[in-house]
Amino acid sequence: MTTRRHFLSAVSVTAATAALPRMANAAGGRKLALYANTGRTLMQFDVDVENATLTQRGSVSTPGGIVQYCWPHRNRQYLYAASSSNTAGATDHSVTAYKIDSATGALTQVGESIRIPYRPIHMSLDRESRHILVAFNIPSSLKIYRINPDFSPGAEVPQTAAKDCGIYAHQILATPDGKHVVLVARGNEGTPKTPEDPGALYVWDYRDGVLSNQYKIAPNGGHGYGPRHLDFHPTKPWMYVSIETQNQMHMHRMQGGKPLPEVVYNKTTLLEPNNIRSRQAASTLHVHPNGRFLYGANRSQDLVDFNGRRVYKGGENSIVVYSLNPQTGEPTVIQHIETQKIHPRTFHIDPSGRMLVAQHNLPVDVRDGDSVRTVKAGLSVFRMSPDGRLNFVRDYSFDGAAGIMWWMGMVQL
């Protein structure tokens, strides 16, 4: 049985070739496809890892508005996309399944989309790819849906266990053993007019689409704690959590397949934590396929007035790289590298661990001496060295006319 994630650090390799089901090594001759959205358009790219290039091949238009998140089936033949019109009071939210052409990576819709009640901020599949796990941020909640025999999304699985989902859910993910589910609830930062909403991690036992025996992890009662995303080490019982609102990286040990409450290590994500020029927000994180390194994204995009224009205020838009102590799991920063664009919301590591691609949401005007230029939304490509460090290679820009870039990821065909 496969026991590790199907997306976002690498997907699906068998236990015969690795300790987790990551995607087959790109050097093995298998085609690698990258998918990224602009608005409701889900674009498809060929990936050349050797030359660190992306070549656009096609696209599909998803129902239900802007693509929010996608996740592949463990067999790598189907991709599930959650979409939303993403506006206040909207009712157009859905999950759609696509067949992935094994030769080209082209997507073809399978069956009908299912309607879901709210904006889906995150989705994943359980370890057996029998169910779709969906997290909603407003109201903070989750739902689980069956996958039909034809691989289309199916009916909701009724739940009887307690489902305290905290405030502002942001990610839902099964643990490596497939027997538990973790929901990340970010909370909300306090303002001069509103108090802070505490954050937390919510953990359940899980079996065949059904949750039970919930418990909560909330350091300091969740105050000063705004978790965003988590990832698991491929071979060790370690879990890493990016803390968005405090710009931190936490490490928890796991026991019996479940995370323990204690934060064993707490490291900053920022190069200059004492020189914050605008709101900084830690984003997603991923452990390298070899388990030796950890990567996290830093984002900023606040604007100020300049000659009648709104321009970027300054800050860190970067990937932070940590080496991981093989005995303790302690992360130690070895690099910060700017992504060359603004607001890296997500990134993905190719399964061979040789290339990283970061995605950026929107075009932003920046000051360039006495003039203003636009840094477009798009993708930044980095080579990954054997020592874990990144080297910027190139970027691909999109004008944003088709809508916000919200998600991207890669699948080995």
Side-chain angles (χ1 to χ4, degrees):
M1 183 184 83
T2 55
T3 56
R4 274 290 281 141
R5 59 184 163 293
H6 294 288
F7 222 40
L8 294 185
S9 289
V11 183
S12 273
V13 125
T14 65
T17 57
L20 65 160
R22 299 186 182 273
M23 293 189 290
N25 193 306
R30 300 183 67 177
K31 189 179 181 70
L32 184 63
L34 182 145
Y35 302 99
N37 86 296
T38 53
R40 62 182 297 173
T41 299
L42 189 57
M43 302 177 289
Q44 170 217 341
F45 298 80
D46 289 345
V47 181
D48 183 337
V49 176
E50 294 294 337
N51 295 303
T53 60
L54 308 175
T55 303
Q56 187 172 355
R57 294 301 184 194
S59 65
V60 295
S61 183
T62 61
I66 298 170
V67 176
Q68 303 292 297
Y69 220 87
C70 298
W71 201 273
H73 194 279
R74 60 180 288 174
N75 65 18
R76 303 189 306 277
Q77 297 176 30
Y78 297 88
L79 183 70
Y80 295 83
S83 304
S84 173
S85 46
N86 203 21
T87 56
T91 60
D92 194 5
H93 319 288
S94 64
V95 175
T96 306
Y98 295 94
K99 180 74 169 67
I100 303 173
D101 187 283
S102 60
T104 67
L107 300 176
T108 303
Q109 184 171 337
V110 175
E112 297 295 324
S113 302
I114 59 170
R115 299 296 297 270
I116 54 179
Y118 317 113
R119 176 202 174 197
I121 195 164
H122 188 269
M123 64 163 291
S124 60
L125 270 57
D126 60 14
R127 296 300 167 183
E128 298 297 330
S129 286
R130 294 177 60 189
H131 298 89
I132 303 166
L133 316 177
V134 184
F136 308 96
N137 59 335
I138 302 173
S140 189
S141 54
L142 68 87
K143 289 187 181 293
I144 299 175
Y145 300 89
R146 293 185 176 90
I147 293 177
N148 293 325
D150 67 353
F151 297 98
S152 63
E156 181 182 353
V157 179
Q159 304 292 327
T160 58
K163 284 201 305 179
D164 178 6
C165 295
I167 299 170
Y168 209 99
H170 216 297
Q171 183 193 29
I172 186 167
L173 198 61
T175 55
D177 64 4
K179 297 179 180 179
H180 314 280
V181 165
V182 184
L183 180 77
V184 180
R186 189 197 66 187
N188 291 299
E189 296 172 76
T191 72
K193 295 183 178 180
T194 59
E196 175 193 17
D197 293 322
L201 308 178
Y202 296 87
V203 187
W204 291 266
D205 293 341
Y206 177 81
R207 182 177 180 180
D208 196 26
V210 177
L211 304 170
S212 62
N213 302 320
Q214 180 184 29
Y215 70 95
K216 180 170 73 171
I217 296 174
N220 193 37
H223 296 283
Y225 180 70
R228 178 184 176 87
H229 272 199
L230 62 84
D231 196 12
F232 300 102
H233 192 275
T235 59
K236 302 284 190 177
W238 302 334
M239 180 181 77
Y240 297 90
V241 186
S242 66
I243 313 301
E244 175 180 314
T245 50
Q246 286 73 40
N247 302 292
Q248 296 169 355
M249 188 70 73
H250 289 186
M251 181 268 202
H252 295 256
R253 295 193 176 101
M254 301 179 70
Q255 188 175 76
K258 298 188 288 189
L260 299 173
E262 179 188 4
V263 178
V264 181
Y265 298 108
N266 177 354
K267 302 299 179 77
T268 183
T269 64
L270 297 175
L271 177 64
E272 298 181 291
N274 297 318
N275 181 31
I276 295 178
R277 287 152 281 173
S278 60
R279 181 183 183 269
Q280 290 285 162
S283 185
T284 194
L285 75 162
H286 299 298
V287 182
H288 192 281
N290 65 19
R292 295 171 52 203
F293 309 103
L294 172 66
Y295 301 81
N298 292 303
R299 304 169 295 157
S300 62
Q301 64 176 45
D302 285 354
L303 304 178
V304 295
D305 291 322
F306 174 72
N307 289 344
R309 301 275 294 275
R310 297 287 288 170
V311 301
Y312 176 52
K313 187 177 180 179
E316 297 185 34
N317 288 287
S318 65
I319 304 295
V320 54
V321 184
Y322 305 85
S323 65
L324 298 179
N325 184 295
Q327 282 74 48
T328 66
E330 179 180 6
T332 299
V333 173
I334 59 173
Q335 184 188 27
H336 287 85
I337 183 168
E338 290 292 317
T339 63
Q340 309 299 317
K341 288 183 176 292
I342 310 297
H343 197 97
R345 185 176 191 271
T346 191
F347 65 89
H348 192 184
I349 300 169
D350 99 89
S352 69
R354 294 177 295 150
M355 188 176 85
L356 181 150
V357 182
Q359 170 267 342
H360 306 77
N361 285 24
L362 290 168
V364 179
D365 287 342
V366 300
R367 181 175 175 177
D368 188 357
D370 293 329
S371 62
V372 173
R373 62 183 176 88
T374 299
V375 177
K376 294 184 177 181
L379 306 173
S380 295
V381 180
F382 300 84
R383 293 191 191 276
M384 308 182 80
S385 301
D387 66 1
R389 290 176 171 83
L390 302 176
N391 296 287
F392 175 77
V393 180
R394 59 178 54 86
D395 66 76
Y396 297 86
S397 295
F398 303 91
D399 62 16
I404 190 170
M405 292 197 75
W406 205 256
W407 175 88
M408 61 78 58
M410 289 183 268
V411 179
Q412 190 89 54
L413 307 184

